[in-house]
Amino acid sequence: MKRWFALPLLFAALPAWGAPRTSVSLDGEWQVRIDPTDATAAGQHPREAKWFRAQVPGSVQQDLIAAKRVPDPFQGLNEDKIQWAGLTNWQFRRVIDVTPEMLQRDHLDLVFDGLDTFATVSVNGQQLLATANAHRQWRVDAKPALKVGRNELLVSIASPVRTLQPMVLKEANPLPGEYDSAYGDEPKGKQSSPYIRKPKYHYSWDWGPRIINIGVWRPVRLEAWDDVRIETIQVDQEAINDAEAQLTARYTLVADTAGSVTLRTNVVGPDGQTQGVERTVQVAAGENRITVPLTIASPQRWQPVGYGAQPLYRVQAALVEGGAETDRTERRIGLRTVELLTKDGGFGFQVNGIPIFAKGANVIPFDNFPSRVPAAQMRHILQGAVDANMNMLRIWGGGYYLDDAFYAMADEMGIMIWQDFMFGGAVTPPDAEFRENVRVEAEQQVARLQAHPSVVAWSGGNEVLSGWENWSDRKAFKKRIGADEQERIGAGMAVLFNQVLRDAVLTRSPGTPYWPGSPSTNYEGPVDTDAAGDRHFWDVWSGSKPVENYLDSCTRFMSEYGFQAMPDMATIREFAGNGPLALDSPVLKGHQKFLAGEGNERLKMYLDQRLRPAKDFADTVYLTQVNQAQAIDMAARHHRACRPTNMGSLYWQMNDTWPSISWASIDYHGRWKLLNYAARRFFAPQAIVAENRGGKTRIALVSDAVQPIAAEWRVRSFDMAGRPLGDKGGTTTLAPLSATDIASLADAELFGSAAPNASYAVAELVVDGKTASRRVFERMLPKDMIYPAPGLSARWEGKRVTITAKNLARAVMLDFGAVAAQPSDDGFDLLPGESVTIEVASDAAARALARALTLRTLSTQP
């Protein structure tokens, strides 16, 4: 019989009183099997009814993939082959070797940072814990169940669907959820997901698969401690000016008995200099809340990227008993003030007294299997945001609270984080037990993230309130259930989002704004409108409206809007294989979750509406990326030109959770679509906006700088042979933190009598003699333009290529086919005679890159 994997726990022989808290990781190799009580599943999968290797943190789905019991669901059409795992009950186990010295400690706590989701934890057959929330940390004293020698730790986790489905099926009117299952395991309209505290995207979304994870998904450890320990430390910023910052360190200590302890609190500055406070306090048995005032002279403020540096301080906390240090923890903090400006319906962020236009995107989970996401993958997305001139990312509410490493990197990079609580859109249960479960979750998560200066806002969740108010299925639901039940459910949501979650932020992170949901108006009027609060605008794409509808209004803050595109051919080939491909290929429909796989028809509709016919499938990929980049470019520049009415533009979405056709600007493998390159241009610190509508062109100039900037603007027009038609412009001073309409140019004034389909214009903003922003635009849709043959040539020097155009070349893409490569720029325009030199990052050899390169443009001519 195969021996269980045993963990040797190493504790030094220490006296039982005042010994340091010791933590030993229980991560690593475990074993997993189908729960023997699940006889049906065991009969259908007898091999999995026997113990096999598992990895913690992880999920049984990952264990099955690693053991080659199921194929990789990200490849081909394999998603259906893993569905049974989420409908099965599982057991995870490992052996813990316990020494006599360990049992001398007052406490031996099992600490689970994440159990997904309905889990029971037993030691030596004695049940210690039952859980019902994947977003919570769980702690239980295991000492009473432990013995010297070998001990069995067993975690049994039930299928969430099978656990909740009997209750849901009995409901005449189940709560409206998010996305119905495509696999028949839940009837349409009878979803279990609204009733569980688990990442909602596990149940599928319109960009991701249905993989209902089950497992010990975050780290596990055994903690030994005596007498008293530090439960939490919260560092509140009470006041700050140029002379000093006044802070309060708020401790929660857990003690067995009354006694005297000393708290040693040190603050280490960015320069390494340390100052400290030592305080002796009396504690009682149970929880103790103790405050320690701290003062920092000449404080250095943390600033968002683009507005200054990101100095960080370390607050070191230690518990001293009898002169010996028995517990310690550390928080890294930044000093800054944040206000949410909502006067007269407005919505915008002010950091350190500066009103900042938020430029960025929405972030979804990095993978359907969170435990396998390395820090490097998170850093790549954050760096992609910084490189694209973004200053804010919204962590969307249908996923999970991200790892500490993500927020630490955001602190260092100056990226502001809008953090949703994890509600994806489903109507929430109205019962007090559900709210109490969420209360503990919220308080734990806010306390965990409180120290990060990058977290500038908490939001109640995603589209719960707007859905309840505006969506047709919610309106039909309210009509079915009647006024009394509607009031009960609505009041329950109001208590949850306006009280429970708000209180968690007010008490655990004072000074950080809270917003009841996205979109919302803070319960002050209709939601998801142009008039007030933040907006999710989906008339374009989801509503099939023309891209130009982005220009119809100025919202107060655009927190969601988006447009799909296919990923690069290298990514497509990795999941689709090497066979022939078309938009209606089954494998591409399988990796397109919008409209249950029919979203590729929407791609085609917009291609037919705006761009030229594709030459082949690879050209189709290119054209979808151009369409996406141009659509979001149009919208984002318009949002910026609406400042100060509009104070934010966060497009949907930054990243992917699996290789797919989606709204992402960086795909699952970290490859930039043309949109991310375009974002670097339309989110530039100083930008020019050119909007041609109704026979005239609006020119607006935008500056994010806090000081005036001398600049020149210019709009030149040409025919397709490159002959000049008009030239307008002038000198100006860009006002700080502003958008200014500088000109309105009639078509006749700019283009003369030139045919609209055979002429174009170039708008440029020049600062210090360099082009800070440029936009090429036409009066007609690209499909109607008669672009000349671009006459492109490529000259290579190693992995550097210089591209030259003889004639106008619109939306030049460096397409390397199935060869993975990331150019330093892409999707750019070249005017006649212009050249650009591009660095290409790739594991492929320079010669292979040169052979693979195809230069694509919007011209129908080569």
Side-chain angles (χ1 to χ4, degrees):
M1 181 177 178
K2 186 176 179 180
R3 186 176 183 274
W4 300 358
F5 183 80
L7 173 72
L9 297 180
L10 304 178
F11 285 91
L14 294 166
W17 56 269
R21 174 158 57 162
T22 309
S23 177
V24 174
S25 172
L26 300 182
D27 297 347
E29 187 175 329
W30 289 45
Q31 290 183 318
V32 64
R33 71 176 179 184
I34 294 174
D35 192 319
T37 63
D38 193 345
T40 300
Q44 294 172 342
H45 303 277
R47 190 180 177 199
E48 285 69 43
K50 301 175 182 179
W51 293 108
F52 62 99
R53 181 176 294 182
Q55 189 71 23
V56 170
S59 66
V60 70
Q61 285 86 348
Q62 291 167 262
D63 300 328
L64 290 165
I65 296 166
K68 300 190 184 305
R69 309 286 183 94
V70 297
D72 185 344
F74 287 12
Q75 297 297 309
L77 293 171
N78 292 336
E79 181 187 342
D80 63 333
K81 297 177 178 62
I82 204 169
Q83 296 306 309
W84 67 272
L87 302 174
T88 302
N89 302 333
W90 297 90
Q91 290 185 329
F92 298 80
R93 74 172 182 181
R94 78 173 302 159
V95 167
I96 306 173
D97 284 332
V98 175
T99 65
E101 291 80 12
M102 292 165 60
L103 288 177
Q104 292 178 18
R105 303 301 299 268
D106 290 351
H107 299 270
L108 290 173
D109 289 355
L110 277 172
V111 183
F112 294 86
D113 285 339
L115 288 166
D116 195 358
T117 296
F118 294 124
T120 58
V121 177
S122 301
V123 173
N124 296 327
Q126 180 178 337
Q127 183 175 323
L128 301 180
L129 181 66
T131 76
N133 190 325
H135 300 300
R136 282 174 56 176
Q137 183 192 82
W138 301 89
R139 175 187 289 270
V140 63
D141 191 350
K143 182 179 177 181
L146 291 168
K147 65 182 190 295
V148 174
R150 293 162 61 84
N151 296 260
E152 181 189 53
L153 171 59
L154 185 71
V155 180
S156 301
I157 305 182
S159 162
V161 171
R162 288 176 52 194
T163 299
L164 293 170
Q165 196 168 68
M167 178 268 293
V168 175
L169 294 179
K170 289 178 183 177
E171 291 284 338
N173 295 293
L175 294 174
E178 285 116 350
Y179 286 88
D180 285 321
S181 173
Y183 295 98
D185 51 327
E186 293 188 294
K188 302 294 185 184
K190 291 183 178 290
Q191 300 172 14
S192 57
S193 63
Y195 301 89
I196 190 173
R197 293 307 298 145
K198 172 181 174 64
K200 300 307 179 109
Y201 80 109
H202 288 176
Y203 295 85
S204 78
W205 218 267
D206 58 2
W207 36 255
R210 183 178 177 91
I211 303 177
I212 302 174
N213 290 4
I214 290 175
V216 184
W217 76 285
R218 276 191 158 156
V220 191
R221 58 192 175 276
L222 187 68
E223 287 189 358
W225 61 281
D226 305 313
D227 300 333
V228 61
R229 63 179 171 83
I230 301 172
E231 173 77 2
T232 62
I233 180 174
Q234 172 181 319
V235 184
D236 293 345
Q237 181 181 289
E238 306 292 348
I240 185 171
N241 56 41
D242 290 343
E244 68 175 17
Q246 298 175 12
L247 310 178
T248 300
R250 301 185 188 277
Y251 288 85
T252 300
L253 305 181
V254 177
D256 283 341
T257 59
S260 175
V261 298
T262 298
L263 290 175
R264 184 180 295 151
T265 312
N266 292 330
V267 179
V268 182
D271 57 1
Q273 294 192 16
T274 302
Q275 55 185 357
V277 175
E278 196 165 287
R279 182 181 175 190
T280 300
V281 297
Q282 299 296 315
V283 296
E287 278 196 355
N288 298 263
R289 301 188 185 280
I290 298 163
T291 62
V292 176
L294 304 169
T295 301
I296 298 175
S298 302
Q300 300 178 50
R301 287 177 173 84
W302 180 94
Q303 299 284 5
V305 62
Y307 291 87
Q310 292 77 44
L312 297 167
Y313 294 78
R314 287 181 292 132
V315 179
Q316 300 169 331
L319 185 65
V320 180
E321 299 178 78
E325 189 176 286
T326 59
D327 201 2
R328 67 180 295 110
T329 189
E330 183 174 302
R331 295 288 183 271
R332 193 173 68 168
I333 67 170
L335 305 176
R336 52 97 178 108
T337 59
V338 181
E339 297 175 75
L340 189 57
L341 305 176
T342 58
K343 184 179 179 181
D344 298 327
F347 188 98
F349 292 92
Q350 182 166 285
V351 181
N352 298 323
I354 301 171
I356 294 177
F357 189 97
K359 304 180 298 185
N362 290 260
V363 168
I364 63 172
F366 293 96
D367 200 302
N368 274 81
F369 305 117
S371 63
R372 72 181 187 185
V373 176
Q377 184 178 353
M378 295 186 287
R379 181 176 292 277
H380 181 75
I381 296 298
L382 283 164
Q383 190 62 54
V386 172
D387 292 345
N389 288 311
M390 299 182 189
N391 57 32
M392 176 176 279
L393 295 172
R394 172 183 170 232
I395 310 303
W396 169 78
Y400 59 93
Y401 305 95
L402 298 177
D403 294 345
D404 292 331
F406 175 86
Y407 302 95
M409 288 184 282
D411 293 342
E412 296 162 4
M413 295 182 185
I415 291 288
M416 297 182 290
I417 300 298
W418 166 326
Q419 178 67 53
D420 278 3
F421 285 102
M422 290 300 117
F423 292 90
V427 174
T428 55
D431 56 281
E433 182 181 1
F434 179 85
R435 291 196 296 274
E436 175 60 17
N437 192 1
V438 172
R439 180 193 66 79
V440 178
E441 165 198 325
E443 291 180 355
Q444 285 184 355
Q445 294 294 347
V446 175
R448 178 174 72 94
L449 301 182
Q450 178 265 342
H452 293 284
S454 57
V455 180
V456 299
W458 282 88
S459 165
N462 176 75
E463 296 183 352
V464 180
L465 303 180
S466 60
W468 181 249
E469 182 173 311
N470 296 328
W471 294 358
S472 59
D473 68 323
R474 271 57 167 168
K475 291 179 179 179
F477 172 77
K478 288 187 281 189
K479 185 176 180 180
R480 287 196 306 271
I481 63 177
D484 289 346
E485 185 67 2
Q486 176 181 333
E487 173 64 24
R488 187 174 80 92
I489 293 173
M493 285 195 291
V495 172
L496 177 62
F497 293 106
N498 201 31
Q499 180 178 320
V500 173
L501 299 180
R502 190 185 297 274
D503 286 351
V505 178
L506 287 174
T507 57
R508 267 56 181 184
S509 189
T512 303
Y514 172 77
W515 195 241
S518 182
S520 161
T521 52
N522 205 21
Y523 292 97
E524 294 178 356
V527 302
D528 205 13
T529 71
D530 291 345
D534 68 312
R535 182 88 203 272
H536 291 190
F537 183 82
W538 286 104
D539 288 4
V540 177
W541 184 263
S542 295
S544 299
K545 297 293 179 62
V547 169
E548 289 69 27
N549 280 37
Y550 282 133
L551 307 179
D552 286 347
S553 62
C554 288
T555 61
R556 311 313 295 267
F557 191 107
M558 191 67 84
S559 49
E560 272 194 31
Y561 64 103
F563 201 94
Q564 275 200 2
M566 304 183 83
D568 282 359
M569 283 297 298
T571 294
I572 292 172
R573 285 302 182 193
E574 286 187 31
F575 72 75
N578 296 321
L581 292 171
L583 280 174
D584 60 355
S585 295
V587 69
L588 294 182
K589 294 177 71 171
H591 286 250
Q592 163 64 275
K593 295 301 181 181
F594 180 65
L595 295 181
E598 298 304 321
N600 290 342
E601 287 299 313
R602 190 65 50 88
L603 282 173
K604 185 176 185 305
M605 182 207 81
Y606 276 111
L607 289 179
D608 292 344
Q609 187 180 104
R610 299 195 72 252
L611 300 183
R612 62 165 172 78
K615 301 170 185 176
D616 51 31
F617 179 75
D619 199 44
T620 299
V621 171
Y622 159 72
L623 291 172
T624 68
Q625 291 200 22
V626 172
N627 231 7
Q628 179 190 44
Q630 290 188 348
I632 302 303
D633 183 295
M634 180 185 299
R637 288 183 196 256
H638 181 72
H639 299 155
R640 297 187 71 190
C642 286
R643 182 177 185 158
T645 300
N646 185 4
M647 286 298 293
S649 181
L650 309 180
Y651 66 73
W652 187 269
Q653 64 207 57
M654 187 72 187
N655 62 309
D656 271 328
T657 192
W658 78 316
S660 67
I661 302 165
S662 79
W663 296 266
S665 62
I666 300 179
D667 74 21
Y668 174 74
H669 292 293
R671 294 161 187 152
W672 286 26
K673 296 181 187 177
L674 296 186
L675 172 55
N676 220 70
Y677 295 97
R680 187 161 58 195
R681 294 185 278 270
F682 60 67
F683 281 151
Q686 285 73 47
I688 192 164
V689 179
E691 297 175 353
N692 183 272
R693 300 189 89 187
K696 59 184 178 181
T697 300
R698 173 199 183 193
I699 301 295
L701 306 179
V702 179
S703 178
D704 293 332
V706 296
Q707 70 280 336
I709 294 178
E712 301 175 45
W713 67 274
R714 189 179 187 187
V715 181
R716 295 174 292 154
S717 53
F718 304 89
D719 65 17
M720 290 304 174
R723 288 186 290 269
L725 299 173
D727 192 338
K728 303 291 182 181
T731 59
T732 188
T733 298
L734 304 177
L737 306 170
S738 69
T740 305
D741 279 17
I742 199 74
S744 179
L745 305 174
D747 284 355
E749 179 183 11
L750 189 57
F751 295 98
S753 60
N757 65 348
S759 56
Y760 65 96
V762 183
E764 294 173 298
L765 178 64
V766 178
V767 176
D768 291 332
K770 297 179 180 179
T771 301
S773 178
R774 183 170 86 169
R775 190 165 192 274
V776 176
F777 65 96
E778 302 93 350
R779 289 173 285 170
M780 302 186 73
L781 291 171
K783 70 172 184 175
D784 298 318
M785 298 299 297
I786 307 174
Y787 294 120
L792 293 175
S793 62
R795 180 171 51 84
W796 287 88
E797 294 180 11
K799 293 186 179 181
R800 180 187 297 117
V801 59
T802 298
I803 300 168
T804 302
K806 291 183 179 179
N807 301 306
L808 173 68
R810 287 285 270 132
V812 179
M813 180 185 190
L814 285 71
D815 185 353
F816 293 94
V819 177
Q822 180 165 312
S824 57
D825 198 6
D826 213 354
F828 47 82
D829 299 314
L830 289 176
L831 301 183
E834 279 190 337
S835 295
V836 62
T837 298
I838 305 295
E839 302 280 350
V840 181
S842 177
D843 291 336
R847 187 172 298 177
L849 290 172
R851 284 197 305 266
L853 177 62
T854 298
L855 294 174
R856 300 188 185 276
T857 76
L858 287 180
S859 176
T860 59
Q861 304 179 59

